[in-house]
Amino acid sequence: MKKGITKPVQKKKAAKHVSVLLIFFMALTLFFVLLLPGCTGPEQENKLIEEEKIPIRMAYLYNDLHQLAYYVAQQKGFYEDAGLQVKEAGVYGSGVELMAAFQAGSLDAGYVGLAPATVAVANGKAEVSVVALANQVGSALVVRDGLEVEAIADLEGQRVAVPNLGTVQDFLLNRALEEAGLKTTAVEKTFISPSEMISGMASEGIEACIAWEPYVSKLVNRGYGQVLLWSHEIWENHPCCVLAVDEEFLKNNREAAASLVEAHNRATDFILQNKEEAKEMAKDFTGLSEDVVKEAMENIEFTSELDAEEAETYARYLVNQGLVELEDTAAFMSEFIHESLLEEGIN
Amino acid sequence: MNRWFTVLSPLAFIIIWHVAGTLGWLGDTPLPAEVAVALGNLLRGEDPFLGELLRIHVAVSLVRIMAGFALAALCGIGLGLAMGWFPTVQIVMRPILEMLRPIPPFAWVVLAILWFSTGNAPAIFITFLGAFFPVALNTTAGVEGVSPVLREAASTLGASRWDSLRMVAIPAAVPEIFTGLRIGLGVAWMSLIAAEMVGVGTRGLGLLIETSKMVWRLDYAVAGMVVIGLVGFFLDFLMRWWSGYLLRWR
């Protein structure tokens, strides 16, 4: 205590300091409350994008190659050619988060896995439509390097990591086990995100994992695992990532949605016809190493044509697992997938 | 009167939640009644996603939390006493602790798997991290706060440095240590979801919440959150009772 200053005086001073602090924080809160709605948020919904020249709000998942068409379309000016402005409205860690952003009205379009999109829409938690496929196949069951596993039956009783319940990879593993004459409980399933499967393999915490590209190539490239089974060997032409659009956006901006699909298709064609350049662009886009990008791109099939029947196979699986309730999966898929949007838009 | 408020305030919270949810202010957040139904289903049988009983989820999460917390209490109190009593230890350790402290539990997931493989060990490590820093820093503050008059009095009476720590500093720091333990236990529960994202198999409350979220069954996700809240509340109650019992001399 300083000499000559009494306790009540100190108390008064302390109270004054606290008051100043409170006023400061109140001002700060007010500032952010007033500022934030102007910066972001779902205010754009329902506006006519064609008429008002408002950019389409696009999102995708980070660390993935599946949305390469988006990057190619941006870099090559395909969106501009189609008369669109497309802005990046979010890069999400998982499909669930991206679907939540759709639900909150923060997005017009997004590249997302068929699995989270189907689950969210079937459970009535988001209103989106799939307008094109982004890619198919490209997942694999990877076994830890050095283990004597030559067939899926050798995995009985082993720890196998899957990204989560109800994912396409979960379905693929179950199907592979059943085809090998095993029960789906024959392996010790554990849930780990693909990025952490690498450390799981490195620390020998799991014997195998099932993931999508580029995680498969990362695992193989780093010498942690070998591919036991490619996903196309389990389920030929299985859909993976899709281009989805918000229902409200589609209703109010059908032409813009058609143009978006047109730009997506053009970008997909570009990837297929200019593989080397596409690999370079993928490297720039993701920051992944050249080797991983090259290997991963060989295993992913970029295509925009979505087979509704294949998508329905997955929906039936979700119903059988009790993860969604659908009376008629075919009817659901015919509403969920807009295969002919491009033609409709042009007409 | 206070007891009535203790009962009425959660009730008021539920009513506000119901009204806000019914008016659509909370988006697609499940209403309290829906959560109650999910909770009832969980109490009656296996959860529909992982196929496990709620009590098993609670038990395995409790084991992970308590193991991490016990380890954090041991290390945190030990380091906190050393930092509070020996200025050199504080000079060396403080910057490291202050740098590590703000790192969120999720950021440790990859390293936890790399260091401890998968299963319970990395999960315990993450809950340990959650609890460790509040315990260590509160213990340090408790020892630092011991009145110099008391220290000098002990010294005058012939107490060695070790005796002063044992008989003066530690008893005087107990209230702060308990505050650290209570905060640490809360943070350990907060880190449960990150802790159960390290390949812990198919059991655990954090995993139940994550899986429910994956399949968009937010009623079950919120039911899992409610269970975490209730168990955490009960443990905090036990901790308060224990500290009250130990500190009844105050």
Side-chain angles (χ1 to χ4, degrees), chain A residues 94-97 99-100 103 116 119-120 123-126 159 163-167 188-193 195-206 224 321-325, chain B residues 26-30 34 47-51 106-119 196-203 207 210-219:
Chain A
S94 74
V96 175
E97 288 163 24
M99 293 312 295
Q103 192 208 21
V119 172
N123 277 330
K125 302 298 177 188
R159 290 166 296 182
N164 212 321
L165 196 75
T167 54
E188 195 187 313
K189 251 187 220 178
T190 190
F191 302 118
I192 308 182
S193 73
S195 56
E196 273 116 34
M197 285 176 187
I198 298 167
S199 41
M201 284 286 216
S203 64
E204 302 190 353
I206 47 174
Y224 294 138
Q321 292 285 307
L323 300 177
V324 300
E325 283 177 19
Chain B
L26 304 176
D28 228 4
T29 310
E34 292 168 320
D47 77 80
F49 322 115
L50 299 166
F106 260 107
W108 290 97
V109 168
V110 174
L111 292 178
I113 298 174
L114 266 181
W115 295 338
F116 301 100
S117 183
T118 53
E196 292 186 343
M197 288 289 100
V198 293
V200 288
T202 53
R203 289 163 173 177
L207 201 64
E210 272 301 294
T211 312
S212 308
K213 194 183 84 181
M214 266 314 273
V215 293
W216 279 96
R217 290 302 302 269
L218 297 186
D219 46 350

Side-chain angles (χ1 to χ4, degrees), chain B residues 60 63-64 118-125 198-200:
Chain B
V60 291
V63 168
R64 287 171 193 143
T118 53
N120 283 330
I124 290 169
F125 171 69
V198 293
V200 288

Side-chain angles (χ1 to χ4, degrees), chain A residues 91-311:
Chain A
V91 184
Y92 294 87
S94 74
V96 175
E97 288 163 24
L98 195 146
M99 293 312 295
F102 262 122
Q103 192 208 21
S106 309
L107 301 176
D108 299 315
Y111 283 88
V112 64
L114 176 69
T118 307
V119 172
V121 175
N123 277 330
K125 302 298 177 188
E127 291 181 358
V128 302
S129 288
V130 170
V131 291
L133 186 63
N135 69 300
Q136 60 184 19
V137 303
S139 288
L141 180 61
V142 181
V143 177
R144 205 171 76 218
D145 216 26
L147 291 182
E148 285 182 19
V149 175
E150 284 168 11
I152 193 152
D154 297 333
L155 283 175
E156 196 169 0
Q158 307 284 327
R159 290 166 296 182
V160 182
V162 291
N164 212 321
L165 196 75
T167 54
V168 168
Q169 287 68 31
D170 188 38
F171 172 50
L172 287 166
L173 177 64
N174 285 347
R175 189 184 246 203
L177 288 167
E178 282 168 350
E179 280 176 4
L182 298 171
K183 284 185 177 173
T184 54
T185 51
V187 295
E188 195 187 313
K189 251 187 220 178
T190 190
F191 302 118
I192 308 182
S193 73
S195 56
E196 273 116 34
M197 285 176 187
I198 298 167
S199 41
M201 284 286 216
S203 64
E204 302 190 353
I206 47 174
E207 278 75 47
C209 63
I210 187 159
W212 59 85
E213 286 288 15
Y215 297 102
V216 175
S217 293
K218 277 184 187 175
L219 281 160
V220 174
N221 210 264
R222 291 179 191 183
Y224 294 138
Q226 297 293 329
V227 172
L228 178 69
L229 215 52
W230 283 103
S231 58
H232 64 260
E233 297 173 87
I234 306 168
W235 178 13
E236 204 183 351
N237 299 331
H238 72 80
C240 185
C241 194
V242 296
L243 173 60
V245 295
D246 179 64
E247 276 290 332
E248 198 74 15
F249 163 80
L250 187 59
K251 206 169 74 187
N252 295 327
N253 305 279
R254 208 165 176 92
E255 269 185 40
S259 303
L260 189 71
V261 177
E262 189 189 342
H264 166 77
N265 288 351
R266 219 178 138 193
T268 307
D269 286 343
F270 178 90
I271 295 167
L272 294 172
Q273 286 162 16
N274 304 276
K275 284 189 173 169
E276 290 313 308
E277 193 180 344
K279 282 174 189 170
E280 282 302 313
M281 292 178 88
K283 210 176 77 181
D284 293 342
F285 182 37
T286 58
L288 292 167
S289 75
E290 198 172 343
D291 291 343
V292 169
V293 167
K294 275 187 178 173
E295 281 174 37
M297 295 265 292
E298 291 298 323
N299 301 322
I300 300 171
E301 285 179 21
F302 289 95
T303 172
S304 47
E305 286 174 28
L306 175 58
D307 188 336
E309 275 183 34
E310 298 293 357

Side-chain angles (χ1 to χ4, degrees), chain B residues 134-135 138-139 173-185 236 239 243 247 250:
Chain B
V135 177
N138 273 282
T139 307
V174 167
E176 295 279 356
I177 292 173
F178 265 96
T179 305
L181 288 173
R182 277 186 64 199
I183 298 170
L185 189 60
D236 185 63
M239 189 69 88
S243 73
L247 300 172
R250 289 179 84 205

Side-chain angles (χ1 to χ4, degrees), chain B residues 24-84:
Chain B
W25 294 347
L26 304 176
D28 228 4
T29 310
L31 296 173
E34 292 168 320
V35 175
V37 170
L39 199 56
N41 292 341
L42 285 173
L43 287 168
R44 273 197 299 274
E46 294 170 351
D47 77 80
F49 322 115
L50 299 166
E52 197 56 85
L53 295 169
L54 181 64
R55 61 171 180 271
I56 303 291
H57 285 306
V58 174
V60 291
S61 290
L62 255 177
V63 168
R64 287 171 193 143
I65 293 285
M66 294 321 289
F69 176 68
L71 203 64
L74 204 70
C75 300
I77 293 172
L79 183 67
L81 290 175
M83 281 171 61

